[in-house]
């Protein structure tokens, strides 16, 4: 379906054309018409599906075509931009131009990304936006707010701070959007969220997006949304979009060596490694650097400017291996992530789906590999339960032989089988490069691998087994 069939204003169609979008994605086709009609919406979809445009475009349309509290100001408004404070009468400007749409996002990076999308899609509307998040000085954000904005993108913590200081008034919000609602709950934002929603008029349009639908989200949706339209996007995986998924069973203390070996012997373009803790992520980076592998950490203890620089480096043509906590599991829209490595399995199975969704985006192929320690087998089983995929052990890894067969209980039931010919790059299995093991590696015990196929946006769709142990694709 083309965008011009959706009933969007010309100013938005112009921006969409400028972005080179030809057809609306499924979530855009399903969400834009009801949101334009003023309906509430509950969207179950992940990033990478075009979800931001699905809520930003109809929001911009409504704000630019329905008169707000200060219509005279809007007609004279300069083009969409990030506002900067401009002097003495800024308070009255903010009063004349109140916030009409509030978008809440769990992380600073996602908030910034959403702000960029509003800037792009709204460039010809004359509407103004601002983004507020923690980790940076509040001065410029306060100035922007005082100047008056139509659209505010915020993380919950900084928003509450600024509300408490009297810098933000949500009395005129017409459209409230909660993006990645499940992650906001996982991050403990429920109390701030309740306070924020209580500060927004009851008479409003509410859009809520969540990658998963646990009972808490359903409950909040029933409280905050009114007769919502439900849109669920289950990504359809075609063979070209599949992500190869593998797991190594490995002793915890051998994970650093396995990681070094894996990275040194696997062809990758952009690799994201997930660690459980900030400290753990820093340790992994140090270990990789000692082994001569360029690496950088991304987690909440880093200042926002360092986080931004690290992300920019990761997006560059010579990316370091990025070792991140779950701050990076969702929302980040980085093209060309060839490998995601779960150095530690997440406690919450849903997080696993988000992590591996960082690869295999936009139709590209990807490899998702997990290092499963003895103490993480329960988590692996929970992941299998959630994804309804049993991870069958296909063979022992040639490099890291299992020692005690009784120790590994294959979660999928099939006994490990040895496949002749050794491993291949695309399998997530270290390839023997000139027969050499990583310089720093000592043997890692009990490593086996298994494969399932995962849909393009992280949604596990079906298990794929290569008949006869056929070679997997190398990236
Ligand atoms: P999102 O799910 O909002 O993070 O979007 C993922 C990526 O898809 C972003 O880089 C968007 O620019 C891009 N995108 C969104 N809508 C479309 C579309 N209709 N056609 C092509 N690309 C799109």
């Amino acid at each position: 379906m083309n965008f011009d069939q959706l009933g969007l204003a010309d100013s938005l169609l112009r921006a969409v054309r400028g972005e080179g979008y030809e057809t609306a994605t499924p979530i855009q086709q399903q969400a834009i018409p009801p949101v334009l009609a003023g309906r509430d919406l509950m969207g179950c979809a992940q990033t990478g599906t075009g979800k931001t445009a699905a809520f930003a475009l109809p929001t911009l349309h409504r704000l630019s075509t329905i008169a707000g509290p200060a219509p005279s100001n809007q007609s004279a408004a300069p083009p969409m931009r990030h506002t900067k404070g401009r002097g003495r009468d800024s308070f009255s400007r903010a009063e004349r131009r109140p916030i009409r749409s509030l978008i809440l996002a769990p992380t600073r990076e996602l908030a910034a990304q959403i702000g960029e999308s509003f800037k792009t899609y709204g460039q010809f509307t004359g509407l103004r936006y601002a983004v507020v998040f923690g980790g940076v000085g509040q001065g410029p954000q306060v100035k922007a707010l005082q100047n008056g904005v139509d659209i505010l993108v915020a993380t919950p913590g900084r928003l509450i701070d600024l509300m408490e200081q009297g810098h933000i008034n949500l009395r005129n919000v017409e459209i409230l959007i909660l993006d990645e609602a499940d992650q906001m709950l996982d991050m403990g934002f429920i109390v701030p969220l309740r306070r924020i929603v209580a500060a927004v008029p009851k008479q409003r349009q509410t859009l809520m997006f969540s990658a998963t639908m646990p009972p808490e989200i359903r409950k909040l949706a029933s409280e905050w949304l009114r007769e919502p339209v439900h849109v669920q996007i289950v990504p359809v995986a075609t063979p070209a979009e599949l992500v190869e998924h593998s797991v190594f069973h490995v002793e915890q203390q051998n994970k650093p060596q396995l990681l070094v070996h894996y990275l040194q012997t696997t062809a990758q373009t952009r690799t994201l490694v997930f660690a459980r803790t900030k400290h753990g992520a820093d340790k992994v980076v140090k270990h990789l650097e000692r082994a001569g592998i360029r690496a950088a950490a991304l987690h909440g203890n880093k200042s926002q400017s360092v986080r931004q620089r690290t992300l920019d480096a990761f997006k560059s043509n010579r990316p370091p291996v990025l070792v991140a906590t779950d701050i990076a599991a969702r929302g980040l829209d980085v093209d060309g992530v060839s490998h995601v490595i779960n150095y530690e399995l997440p406690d919450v199975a849903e997080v696993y789906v988000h992590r591996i969704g960082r690869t295999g985006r936009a139709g590209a192929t990807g490899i998702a590999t997990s290092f499963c320690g003895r103490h993480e087998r329960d988590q692996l089983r929970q992941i299998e339960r959630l994804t309804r995929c049993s991870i069958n052990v296909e063979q022992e890894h040639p490099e890291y032989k299992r020692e005690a067969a009784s120790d590994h209980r294959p979660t999928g039931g099939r006994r490990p089988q040895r496949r002749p010919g050794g491993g291949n790059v695309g399998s997530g299995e270290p390839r023997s490069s000139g027969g050499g093991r990583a310089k720093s590696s000592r043997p890692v015990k009990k490593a086996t691998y298994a494969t399932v196929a995962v849909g393009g946006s992280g949604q596990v769709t079906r298990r794929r087994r290569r008949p006869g142990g056929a070679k997997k694709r190398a990236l």
Side-chain angles (χ1 to χ4, degrees):
M1 186 189 274
N2 287 332
F3 278 96
D4 45 16
Q5 294 169 273
L6 291 170
L8 291 164
D10 284 345
S11 57
L12 300 170
L13 294 178
R14 204 175 139 198
V16 163
R17 272 196 300 273
E19 281 302 283
Y21 299 172
E22 283 170 10
T23 50
T25 65
I27 191 159
Q28 291 161 0
Q29 291 177 26
Q30 291 177 47
I32 290 175
V35 177
L36 282 180
R39 294 286 304 271
D40 282 6
L41 181 126
M42 177 72 237
C44 188
Q46 299 170 3
T47 48
T49 53
K51 155 170 81 84
T52 316
F55 64 74
L57 289 170
T59 298
L60 288 161
H61 177 102
R62 284 180 69 78
L63 296 187
S64 56
T65 55
I66 299 170
S72 55
N73 278 359
Q74 281 169 26
S75 58
M80 184 87 172
R81 61 173 186 271
H82 192 286
T83 64
K84 301 255 184 329
R86 283 192 181 71
R88 279 170 311 183
D89 67 336
S90 54
F91 271 111
S92 54
R93 260 204 295 263
E95 276 158 24
R96 285 205 306 271
R97 192 168 190 139
I99 298 161
R100 297 176 62 199
S101 179
L102 172 66
I103 298 98
L104 296 170
T107 64
R108 302 161 189 176
E109 283 78 8
L110 185 57
Q113 226 167 257
I114 294 170
E116 282 302 306
S117 296
F118 271 96
K119 180 182 179 182
T120 304
Y121 303 137
Q123 61 188 299
F124 306 116
T125 61
L127 295 165
R128 290 184 188 166
Y129 83 103
V131 183
V132 300
F133 49 69
V136 291
Q138 70 168 44
Q141 297 176 357
V142 170
K143 279 188 185 165
L145 291 164
Q146 287 172 348
N147 199 38
V149 294
D150 305 287
I151 297 155
L152 179 65
V153 187
T155 52
R158 175 56 62 95
L159 181 66
I160 291 278
D161 271 1
L162 295 174
M163 283 165 67
E164 280 172 352
Q165 296 172 53
H167 293 303
I168 288 181
N169 174 351
L170 300 177
R171 276 198 304 270
N172 292 287
V173 168
E174 298 159 40
I175 306 176
L176 172 67
I177 302 169
L178 298 109
D179 195 15
E180 302 282 357
D182 49 353
Q183 191 182 6
M184 289 200 276
L185 292 196
D186 289 350
M187 291 171 73
F189 283 137
I190 184 63
V191 174
L193 282 181
R194 285 198 178 282
R195 282 184 62 190
I196 293 163
V197 174
V200 171
K202 282 199 167 45
Q203 194 63 37
R204 61 167 192 261
Q205 184 177 14
T206 311
L207 318 178
M208 191 156 148
F209 291 87
S210 188
T212 56
M213 289 294 286
E216 302 90 315
I217 291 291
R218 285 178 209 279
K219 184 166 172 287
L220 287 181
S222 68
E223 275 179 49
W224 292 344
L225 308 184
R226 257 187 277 175
E227 297 174 20
V229 173
H230 286 265
V231 172
Q232 176 154 18
I233 300 301
V234 178
V236 181
T238 63
E241 290 170 338
L242 292 176
V243 174
E244 294 287 345
H245 169 178
S246 62
V247 59
F248 289 90
H249 288 281
V250 57
E251 297 289 1
Q252 185 66 23
Q253 70 270 20
N254 291 333
K255 285 186 179 182
Q257 289 85 351
L258 176 58
L259 182 62
V260 167
H261 187 272
Y262 183 85
L263 294 172
Q264 287 179 335
T265 56
T266 305
Q268 342 118 39
T269 48
R270 202 165 271 127
T271 297
L272 182 52
V273 177
F274 282 104
R276 194 200 303 266
T277 65
K278 300 167 193 170
H279 178 64
D282 286 335
K283 265 176 70 177
V284 171
V285 166
K286 281 199 189 113
H287 187 86
L288 292 180
E289 283 176 341
R290 275 201 298 271
I293 296 172
R294 280 177 61 244
L298 182 74
H299 56 64
N301 276 2
K302 302 277 178 192
S303 71
Q304 192 52 34
S305 56
V306 170
R307 275 160 69 167
Q308 198 51 55
R309 270 205 307 278
T310 306
L311 262 183
D312 290 344
F314 188 58
K315 289 177 185 172
S316 75
N317 289 337
R318 229 182 119 247
V321 171
L322 187 64
V323 185
T325 55
D326 283 315
I327 204 165
R330 294 191 216 187
L332 293 189
D333 181 28
V334 180
D335 287 339
V337 175
S338 61
H339 289 65
V340 167
I341 299 175
N342 293 295
Y343 186 79
E344 275 139 353
L345 292 183
D347 292 331
V348 179
E350 277 91 357
V351 172
Y352 174 87
V353 178
H354 297 303
R355 287 181 177 185
I356 61 176
R358 297 312 95 211
T359 186
R361 289 163 75 81
T365 53
I367 304 285
T369 301
S370 297
F371 291 1
C372 180
R374 193 190 299 260
H375 61 291
E376 293 171 307
R377 302 243 168 103
D378 273 349
Q379 284 139 266
L380 185 62
R381 269 187 282 276
Q382 278 168 26
I383 288 162
E384 288 180 314
R385 224 170 285 139
L386 175 79
T387 57
R388 290 196 290 275
C389 255
S390 67
I391 301 180
N392 281 341
V393 176
E394 291 190 352
Q395 71 167 65
E396 288 181 8
H397 188 269
E399 197 73 40
Y400 302 106
K401 294 212 176 357
R402 271 188 318 134
E403 282 189 339
S406 60
D407 205 38
H408 172 237
R409 286 158 291 161
T411 44
R414 195 151 73 89
R415 290 285 301 161
Q417 287 170 9
R418 181 172 277 285
R419 194 170 60 196
N424 304 297
V425 168
S427 64
E429 161 193 8
R431 182 180 49 179
S432 151
S433 59
R437 176 176 294 167
K439 285 185 279 301
S440 59
S441 70
R442 53 195 161 89
V444 179
K445 292 169 190 162
K446 285 201 292 297
T448 53
Y449 89 92
T451 303
V452 293
V454 179
S457 352
Q459 178 83 30
V460 175
T461 49
R462 67 190 166 85
R463 208 181 89 236
R464 194 173 64 161
R465 203 180 287 164
R466 283 166 307 285
K471 287 211 168 197
K472 294 176 191 173
R473 185 179 47 247
L475 286 178

